[in-house]
Amino acid sequence: MAAYLTNGLLAEQPYRVSAKFTCGGKKRLIDIYLTQVAKGRDAMKDLTDFMRIAQKRYSQIHDCPLNTR
């Protein structure tokens, strides 16, 4: 889930992506927050791509099969 938040508690970090997945049978959750994104960038696409990289690296580092369902 990628989101752009402008109000509330998370307004100081308006760009946020969260992912819930399993790795080796264990449930995991990764959150990534950014306060700003370079002008002209597609923040939602970049955050989604960044999350996919983070999940893949987590799986490699912890040597567990990744399941994003």
Side-chain angles (χ1 to χ4, degrees):
M1 171 186 81
Y4 175 67
L5 306 168
T6 57
N7 296 318
L9 297 172
L10 299 174
E12 291 180 19
Q13 298 171 330
Y15 299 97
R16 177 182 182 171
V17 63
S18 299
K20 183 178 179 181
F21 62 99
T22 60
C23 194
K26 295 181 180 179
K27 294 181 181 179
R28 298 291 179 229
L29 178 67
I30 296 177
D31 291 313
I32 300 172
Y33 304 92
L34 300 174
T35 55
Q36 62 184 2
V37 175
K39 189 174 183 178
R41 297 292 310 184
D42 181 352
M44 296 303 110
K45 181 184 179 314
D46 289 348
L47 281 169
T48 302
D49 292 344
F50 188 41
M51 180 55 75
R52 287 188 181 124
I53 292 167
Q55 288 176 319
K56 184 177 177 181
R57 287 294 296 142
Y58 184 95
S59 174
Q60 291 170 346
I61 290 168
H62 295 281
D63 192 30
C64 57
L66 180 64
N67 182 0
T68 57
R69 289 187 176 183

